[in-house]
């Protein structure tokens, strides 16, 4: 069992000593990393030790358990509070729960109730830790392979498989946000399917060679995403701010056409914004067949 960090707070020295020494905290999944005898000291210990759980008396002089909870929340620190209270402090316990306390326990503490509560707190913390680890792993994966992930998202967006809001969120998450003067142009290019009928052995090799040529030349000038449309024709969605981009892309397509196999090609006009990605992909412009 992974031991989580626990801080215990009580302003009565005898009770604090009893809490520290009486219970098998390790058996409940916790390591006691600190203790405090008043609210002010508790805040400093929590800031230093960063515990997963704080077990605190609710009624203390000067700075109460409630005030400790409020201060830790204001500091943006994330930990579970289990509060201890006497019957006369029931109203305080209700306020603690309103502040987000995981649970409150009545003094004197019943062993079984304490064990049940602390094991529940352990499970809640472990679930949060697992979710954070999972999120960190996804984040690392996105950072490591963000280009490929963005490629998939753009393709799904163009195919109407995800809404524009989700596409925008991915761009923002990957810090690949679009700027106001970004334009998108789609280049359509492929070996004519008739060539496959007459030269089936050379068709795939011809496609591969042409794609290499286009990827190298387009990639030298512009960022782009490559995919196939519903008809199986390759297309390049090019991002640019350059007003000369259409002309430069036409030159690249003309270069691709000077080959021994027939090429079909077209180029869209520039479209603006994230909706322009889809607009460019769905509206071929001038044909260069």
């Amino acid at each position: 069992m992974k031991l989580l960090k626990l801080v215990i707070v009580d302003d009565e020295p005898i009770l604090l000593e009893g809490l520290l020494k009486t219970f098998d905290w390790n058996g409940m999944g916790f390591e006691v990393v600190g203790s405090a005898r008043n609210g002010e000291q508790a805040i400093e210990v929590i800031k230093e030790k960063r515990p997963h759980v704080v077990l605190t008396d609710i009624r203390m002089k000067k700075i109460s358990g409630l005030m400790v909870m409020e201060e830790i929340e204001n500091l943006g620190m994330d930990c579970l509070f289990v509060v201890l209270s006497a019957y006369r402090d029931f109203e305080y316990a209700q306020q603690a729960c309103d502040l987000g306390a995981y649970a409150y326990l009545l003094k004197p503490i019943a062993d079984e109730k304490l064990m049940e509560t602390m094991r529940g707190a352990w499970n809640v913390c472990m679930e949060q830790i697992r979710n954070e680890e999972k999120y960190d792993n996804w984040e690392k994966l996105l950072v490591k392979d963000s280009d490929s992930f963005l490629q998939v998202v753009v393709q799904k967006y163009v195919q109407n498989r995800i809404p524009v809001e989700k596409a925008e969120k991915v761009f923002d998450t990957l810090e690949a946000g679009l700027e106001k003067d970004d334009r998108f142009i789609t280049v359509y290019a492929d070996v004519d399917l008739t060539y496959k009928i007459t030269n089936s052995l050379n068709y795939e090799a011809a496609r591969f060679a042409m794609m290499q040529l286009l990827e190298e030349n387009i990639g030298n000038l512009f960022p782009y995403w490559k995919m196939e449309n519903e008809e199986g024709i390759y297309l390049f969605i090019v991002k640019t701010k350059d007003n000369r981009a259409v002309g430069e892309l036409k030159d690249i397509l003309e270069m691709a056409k000077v080959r021994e196999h027939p090429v079909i090609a077209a180029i869209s006009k520039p479209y603006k914004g994230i909706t322009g990605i889809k607009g460019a992909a769905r509206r071929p412009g001038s044909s260069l067949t």
Side-chain angles (χ1 to χ4, degrees):
M1 176 184 285
K2 177 183 175 69
L3 295 182
L4 303 183
K5 294 185 289 185
L6 172 68
V7 165
I8 300 176
V9 184
D10 200 306
D11 64 348
E12 297 183 40
I14 294 177
L15 293 180
L16 178 60
E17 191 72 12
L19 286 170
L20 291 171
K21 294 184 176 180
T22 302
F23 299 101
D24 179 14
W25 297 110
N26 287 2
M28 289 183 268
F30 292 93
E31 175 189 6
V32 179
V33 295
S35 62
R37 292 185 177 180
N38 57 62
E40 185 177 10
Q41 189 180 62
I43 292 169
E44 294 307 312
V45 172
I46 293 169
K47 285 164 62 177
E48 178 188 352
K49 300 298 184 180
R50 301 274 171 168
H52 298 93
V53 175
V54 176
L55 179 68
T56 181
D57 188 14
I58 200 168
R59 184 189 285 270
M60 296 184 289
K61 297 175 182 177
K62 293 184 179 179
I63 298 178
S64 68
L66 293 176
M67 295 167 71
V68 172
M69 291 177 65
E70 288 178 325
E71 179 61 20
I72 295 304
E73 182 180 4
N74 291 336
L75 291 171
M77 297 176 60
D78 189 18
C79 62
L80 284 188
F81 279 87
V82 176
V83 299
L84 306 175
S85 68
Y87 281 106
R88 68 180 183 276
D89 298 326
F90 182 71
E91 185 178 342
Y92 284 98
Q94 285 185 315
Q95 292 179 47
C97 290
D98 290 340
L99 283 171
Y102 171 71
Y104 73 89
L105 299 171
L106 292 175
K107 296 180 179 180
I109 305 172
D111 290 6
E112 290 185 4
K113 184 63 176 176
L114 176 66
M115 292 178 62
E116 177 187 346
T117 300
M118 296 306 294
R119 285 172 179 167
W122 186 90
N123 287 330
V124 169
C125 290
M126 283 304 301
E127 181 66 22
Q128 183 175 351
I129 290 169
R130 292 187 194 102
N131 288 338
E132 288 173 354
E133 289 174 349
K134 190 183 299 183
Y135 179 82
D136 287 343
N137 289 336
W138 274 107
E139 192 173 55
K140 289 175 184 176
L141 178 62
L142 289 179
V143 171
K144 181 180 178 182
D145 203 13
S146 59
D147 289 342
S148 296
F149 186 77
L150 197 57
Q151 161 80 33
V152 172
V153 169
V154 169
Q155 184 162 343
K156 288 181 180 289
Y157 171 57
V158 168
Q159 296 170 344
N160 289 320
R161 293 166 62 188
I162 61 172
V164 65
E165 294 81 12
K166 285 192 176 181
E168 286 178 330
K169 187 174 181 179
V170 170
F171 272 90
D172 291 340
T173 300
L174 299 179
E175 297 183 353
L178 304 178
E179 299 179 17
K180 64 178 182 179
D181 50 350
D182 281 338
R183 301 290 186 275
F184 297 94
I185 303 166
T186 298
V187 173
Y188 300 77
D190 214 329
V191 175
D192 196 320
L193 192 59
T194 58
Y195 188 70
K196 184 176 183 179
I197 299 172
T198 57
N199 296 271
S200 58
L201 294 178
N202 296 328
Y203 176 72
E204 291 300 333
R207 285 187 96 201
F208 179 76
M210 190 183 75
M211 285 305 114
Q212 279 194 315
L213 183 148
L214 291 175
E215 287 185 45
E216 180 179 352
N217 284 276
I218 293 175
N220 285 337
L221 296 175
F222 311 105
Y224 69 87
W225 300 290
K226 187 186 81 170
M227 61 193 73
E228 289 185 66
N229 66 9
E230 294 86 346
E231 291 77 34
I233 297 174
Y234 282 113
L235 57 90
F236 294 78
I237 300 177
V238 174
K239 185 172 83 167
T240 182
K241 294 181 175 69
D242 192 345
N243 292 328
R244 301 168 298 175
V246 171
E248 291 172 322
L249 290 168
K250 283 183 178 179
D251 291 340
I252 293 172
L253 288 179
E254 291 295 341
M255 185 193 313
K257 286 177 63 180
V258 184
R259 306 179 75 85
E260 67 276 9
H261 48 262
V263 172
I264 56 171
I267 187 168
S268 77
K269 69 178 185 179
Y271 288 85
K272 187 178 179 180
I274 192 166
T275 55
I277 296 175
K278 189 180 293 185
R282 295 196 170 274
R283 297 182 183 88
S286 56
S287 175
L288 301 177
T289 305

